[in-house]
């Protein structure tokens, strides 16, 4: 029986709570969990959330969660500037950690988190949920099986439109203090997919752009935007593959697009997170007259879809990916093989992001390592 | 605090269990639930499932669940030939009921279930989950708002391929005792959508067909197939609209298709359950040069998507629909407005199915009532 | 060298003219043609069109075209009430005939045209262009090769929205004298596809509906609409397959949809004329994990695409289908095998349409023959 | 009456011939043309082609075409290494010129062609057909109307798979003498679209890659591939927009993809040449609840579709674009406004391609001018 603590109850906090509530029913073989202690900004709010989310105890101080002896693993879902302090404290208290990405605004802090995790000997993973989808897993399986031959070209795009409105007011994400822009917000997700499917990135050459130079502040003045909503990156992976990455958080019409195009010597694979219950596969082993992209709807034979629904084509949802992630965490805690991005691998993703930003500043290719 | 009993733990039983575990976290305002008592075919199995699904008690006899004074509502997910006895017993024991569809193989039994529900004064609803999806709800809203004008034509298809393999052995669904075939298996779902979107069906004219006349039995003999995997129905709704319904459970390539085409005087709407996180809308109020079907990805403004994910386009899954259904049940139990298909309305759906079968037998149009 | 006459220069007349101008370049092996004589309603108009379309001579009287000794084949593209007189005259004058569909408003007239064609011994074909597309031809090839096994179910829909506007004035297509409605306008096209792909229709049961009961006339009064824009038909083909046909000429959003769903024992095929450069194929011979509809883009290996473009995926257009049809006509005139629907087969299509209308009137299944 | 000469009768030569045969019928107002003189590699072949394509005269020497006094305009469709000599000779002979792209392998030769055209005072245009499609024209109209606001980001991809087979033998396109690779083959097409929709490219930063390092020659040896099938380019347009261009001629599954993503402050536009009869438009002026990409099928209101088909959604084909291009050429010859890419603008496109190659060589951003 694994005791669970949760710190933070926003979008991701609720998402973790749903996963913890569901994991035992969906994946009974992963072991039992007990929702022990929830921490929020104040006691009243914490108490309400604990009641909603089914936690036994609650506190207005996150340290109480970390110090609770019945808590074995902590879900850390606060804004990422709080991650370093809380994560390191939790690890030092001997807790396993399920921390939302990105790790920390500053690379040095992320690096310290990795050191702390290593010293603690505890499991410390990051919330990269998109790697958990049955379609992405099946893509990995196809690549492992050499279904499309040697991959020679890769394109990834991630686009949303939550910052696309030019009339929207200046807010903290427009300040340089929040990071580079779309690179921080988005690029880590495609990089997590690259990490599990292809390995690491060797070299990058990035361009960034601002769709809107200035924005109105809430007091009616205009203020220059300091972050970049658009980034485009030429890349070479460590395995030699030529790749590109494009991200845009001001792309009107895109809601949750993470689009992959993977080209190989015997076929190709397309995928879009906006329709993540399907993938497109082109195989040259098909009869030439009928070669074409197959729209494969995921089903029980695409693990772990079958744990959710025994019939194909019925569809998983975004939150279900978090339940899978939760299962993987439990597997890792139990010392079994798991599909997770731990702090060490997460640091490599963040290293890549910082290299991209540097290549833009310097106008030249940068070696990630 | 609503006490929950669950009878049956197959596909739908697990689906109910997931919903009961999640509903408090997703919809905190719907009230608290307590997973009290799980019933299965024997004690050992019941005990294991109760542990997995988070129920406090378990029994090898379903009557123990019904008689448990801490149980307020019973999820009934056994095969539908058991529904009449169990449902009526639960209602007589004063429990609310969440019963999987269809109600019962025989119309008279379904009718008796309605009477029992009426006499009991308890809430008794059926598990028609597809009516709960944000896209279907938004279609209803569009129709209510007259967005596409007067609807004049409707086409619905529901297709899967789980019986499409001609080599698959003869099994109970091929026996006449199991019902008509695709009409029982599938037609109730499209009819549930018609029920919430358009009202009742007035007249039907049905054709049915068998893709495979005979099948091999497990002892190697050939046996005639007695049920119809394909049905096509001409319909007139009570509101005068001309409609068609087509169902096929041997349709290779279709996994969970429920496709609607709704044509009105000012536009049209398309929907397919296989991509149920989007709908297609054509409006003549758009500038003529740019009229076209809009692919609308559901998001927080399409209730109740926002309770699951605050960002648009991230997608709900099949199981999430059951969580919504669970919320609606709690709302109804609490005496608040709800979107549910109760036994009385469910009986009308089954009446329509039986009328379809009769129209096929008699080769002529049949008035449903 | 085949001498060509053309009567009528509307939509279809221009389409024939384009085909006659192009056929020699696209299909040099089909033989040479000479554009000899164009007939229109008056001499001035005929002269102008002849100049535009590249015809040597022109006349304001269609009989002059038919009597021209240099004319070997006549393209007949006038409104279909004129077909019987003109077609029979042309055949009696010993000309081959390329007549637009449908043959004639009255079945008896169509029947007389068939007799005339038989007696003349000349080639007399109808302008069913959709049967000529490479995708439809490839579907035929797949069926012949047993790629999807025994076909057991077929659905065809044809929808456009040119009559969908409820504010549009009453015009001749709303009068009963114009025929039944969508059955005349549209049903012949899907039936032509059924004819080449599956053979004839045995039994039909049809429902028809009017989206708008009345329309305003150009003098501002309201007048009841006498024709049916919507028709839905249950069918059994002579080969035993259960099928449905649905047509709607008031279907907002549909522009040129002719959608086929063909289900067999080993796969299925989807096609939509709105994207007629592709087809969807599902095969159970694919590995189960990656079964899905393949979007096959037509290319040079799908005859006769290669005569137009040597590279795949570049797309043919609607008018190209007429060029193919023209080639088939030349092949037939030359006594070579061709893919054509001649008057005899066209009569069977019209017989089926009339049977559909009768089944609606009588509310029961009708045997076509 | 414009007299036409044609040199070369391969893929593009036939395409020109089809256009010259059709233009008078499709666009009668564009003026009359006369197919005068066809030149091919030898007299016998020329005679045969002239008969097929409907030309009056033929020659085995291209100079005879250029010197023919009845020829006003020459279609030049030979391999592009022959363009400079033939084009300059034709211009010096006072002929208008319709030359296939790219202009010439060497920039200096293209430059000389521009000078020659300027001195001649004749019309000299390049065969950039993709700019002629109704959808691309409508995109231009939408941009001009500010429908999607200020464009801030642009992505273009062009992919085919005709060189994707790793087993295919080494041939001339693998030699450095043929150019850079995909940049020459493909990049000029997307650049032509950028030219008509957005203007010129200011700066470029390119990466290129080889999917296969070596190929087998026809004598069975292995030989290093010298050209790049893959290119990815970061770009800044002269109007300040950040853009990317990606091309791949070894992209299994892609047949004729030219995909645009255009993001603006009020919406976005998507387009793919593989389905060039439709475009996708997202507008923030739509009600938020129903915002989504509209699939607009081109029709008569999207000029010049209506000259081909009077009904919407019926589809143009690849060759129809050449007919439109031919009309534009005739308009330009007649001194009327036209949508054409002339030698001067074509040179800018080729200058951009050469800048891309240089940026790859030097590993840094290059200013195009």
């Amino acid at each position: 029986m694994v005791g669970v603590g949760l710190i933070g109850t926003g979008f991701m906090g609720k998402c973790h709570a749903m996963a913890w509530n569901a994991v035992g029913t969906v994946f009974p073989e992963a072991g039992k969990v007990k929702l022990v202690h929830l921490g929020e900004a104040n006691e009243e709010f914490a108490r309400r959330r604990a009641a909603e989310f089914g936690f036994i105890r609650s506190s207005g101080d996150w340290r109480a969660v970390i110090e609770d002896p019945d808590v074995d693993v902590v879900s850390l879902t606060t804004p990422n500037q709080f991650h370093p302090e809380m994560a390191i404290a939790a690890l030092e208290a001997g807790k396993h950690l399920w921390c939302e990405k990105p790790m920390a605004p500053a690379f040095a802090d992320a690096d310290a988190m990795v050191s702390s995790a290593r010293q603690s000997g505890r499991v410390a993973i990051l919330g990269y949920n998109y790697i958990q989808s049955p379609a992405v897993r099946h893509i990995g399986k196809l690549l492992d099986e050499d279904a499309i031959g040697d991959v020679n070209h890769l394109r990834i795009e991630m686009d949303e439109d939550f910052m696309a409105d030019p009339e929207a007011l200046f807010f903290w994400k427009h300040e340089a203090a929040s990071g580079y822009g779309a690179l921080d917000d988005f690029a880590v997700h495609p990089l997590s997919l690259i990490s599990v499917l292809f390995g690491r990135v060797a070299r990058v050459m990035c361009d960034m752009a601002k769709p809107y130079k200035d924005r109105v502040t809430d007091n009616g003045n205009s203020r220059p935007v300091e972050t970049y909503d658009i980034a485009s990156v030429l890349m070479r992976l460590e395995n030699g593959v030529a790749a590109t990455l494009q991200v845009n958080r001001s792309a009107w019409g895109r809601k949750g697009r993470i689009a992959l195009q993977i080209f190989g010597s015997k076929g190709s694979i397309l995928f879009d997170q906006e329709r993540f219950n399907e993938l497109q596969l082109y195989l040259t082993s098909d009869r030439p007259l009928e070669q074409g992209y197959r729209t494969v709807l995921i089903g029980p034979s695409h693990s772990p879809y079958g744990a959710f629904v025994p019939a194909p084509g019925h569809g998983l949802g975004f939150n279900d990916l978090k339940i899978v992630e939760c299962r993987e965490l439990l597997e890792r805690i139990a010392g079994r093989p798991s599909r997770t991005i731990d702090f060490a691998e997460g640091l490599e993703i963040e290293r890549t992001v910082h290299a991209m930003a540097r290549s833009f500043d310097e106008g030249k290719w940068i070696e990630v390592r």
Side-chain angles (χ1 to χ4, degrees), chain A:
Chain A
M1 179 76 72
V2 173
V4 177
L6 171 67
I7 303 175
T9 64
F11 174 9
M12 275 298 130
K14 182 172 178 177
C15 196
H16 279 235
M18 289 188 280
W20 285 120
N21 272 287
V23 70
T25 305
V26 179
F27 296 108
E29 74 290 352
K32 296 292 296 170
V33 302
K34 187 180 195 174
L35 281 57
V36 174
H37 204 143
L38 180 149
E40 249 303 343
N42 63 63
E43 287 199 18
E44 167 52 28
F45 186 30
R47 193 176 310 119
R48 182 154 59 80
R49 283 298 203 209
E52 291 172 9
F53 294 177
F55 280 77
I56 298 167
R57 289 194 281 282
S58 63
S59 302
D61 177 3
W62 60 271
R63 293 192 183 273
V65 177
I66 281 173
E67 289 159 8
D68 189 324
D70 295 337
V71 167
D72 300 300
V73 56
V74 173
S75 273
L76 188 52
T77 71
T78 52
N80 66 338
Q81 68 262 35
F82 301 119
H83 288 178
E85 182 185 10
M86 293 178 176
I88 291 170
L91 289 163
E92 289 179 348
K95 309 304 187 192
H96 302 294
L97 204 55
W98 186 11
C99 178
E100 274 309 308
K101 73 278 148 194
M103 297 177 79
F107 185 77
D109 285 331
D111 201 19
M113 290 165 71
V114 172
S115 300
S116 176
R118 194 181 307 114
Q119 284 157 22
S120 73
R122 315 310 291 172
V123 170
I125 69 159
L126 292 157
Y128 284 108
N129 49 323
Y130 297 119
I131 66 169
Q132 302 296 352
S133 88
V136 169
R137 285 163 176 260
H138 194 62
I139 291 170
K141 184 179 159 76
L142 288 165
L143 297 177
D144 289 347
E145 286 177 349
D146 198 40
I148 63 164
D150 292 328
V151 171
N152 52 55
H153 188 44
L154 168 69
R155 296 180 192 157
I156 305 195
E157 298 162 274
M158 178 166 181
D159 303 305
E160 297 189 13
D161 63 4
F162 71 93
M163 290 179 71
D165 185 356
E167 310 297 325
L169 296 184
F170 189 102
F171 78 121
W172 66 271
K173 284 202 179 228
H174 298 115
E175 291 182 60
S178 72
Y180 310 114
L183 278 187
D184 309 75
D185 260 11
F186 284 2
V188 294
H189 291 290
L191 288 170
S192 73
L193 297 177
I194 290 176
S195 173
V196 296
L197 295 175
F198 303 102
R200 294 185 179 168
V201 177
R203 313 175 61 216
V204 295
M205 170 68 213
C206 171
D207 189 24
M208 296 205 274
K210 298 172 186 174
Y212 313 114
K213 302 276 177 273
D214 304 280
R215 283 187 180 267
V216 173
T217 61
D218 48 17
N219 59 24
N221 296 325
S222 177
R223 185 171 158 184
V225 171
E226 298 163 0
T227 53
Y228 298 88
D229 291 355
I230 300 167
S232 305
V233 193
L234 308 175
M235 301 189 296
R236 291 303 175 108
L237 307 189
E238 290 195 349
N239 65 8
V241 168
T244 60
L245 166 67
Q246 304 203 62
V247 292
N248 187 345
R249 59 187 187 184
S250 287
W252 274 126
R254 301 305 196 184
K255 306 301 176 184
R257 175 173 163 89
I258 307 178
L260 278 86
Q261 300 180 59
I262 307 170
F263 297 101
S265 58
K266 299 193 297 185
S268 59
I269 299 170
L270 309 179
F271 173 76
D272 183 350
Q273 177 67 25
E274 282 184 358
R275 286 179 174 166
F276 77 90
N277 286 298
E278 56 194 64
L279 62 87
Q280 306 274 330
L281 175 65
Y282 184 95
L283 293 178
T284 59
S285 54
D286 287 342
R287 191 168 77 145
L289 275 165
E290 288 98 28
Q291 285 179 10
Y293 281 106
R294 300 178 194 176
T295 303
V296 180
L297 299 181
I298 59 164
S301 46
H302 306 100
S303 174
Y305 175 98
F308 292 88
V309 194
H314 283 55
L316 299 192
F318 176 82
N319 289 330
D320 292 332
L321 302 184
K322 214 70 189 178
I323 301 174
V324 179
E325 192 178 297
C326 188
R327 191 267 304 255
E328 297 300 313
L329 169 60
L330 291 174
E331 294 294 308
R332 185 145 177 174
I333 289 173
R336 291 189 290 262
S338 73
R339 183 183 183 88
T340 44
I341 290 187
D342 61 19
F343 277 22
E345 189 59 26
L347 187 69
E348 296 310 309
I349 289 174
E350 309 216 358
R351 190 192 307 279
T352 308
V353 166
H354 290 286
M356 288 171 178
R358 229 181 90 213
S359 81
F360 169 63
D361 285 342
E362 305 185 10
K364 64 177 194 196
W365 284 88
I366 294 288
E367 302 289 327
V368 173
R369 252 163 304 270

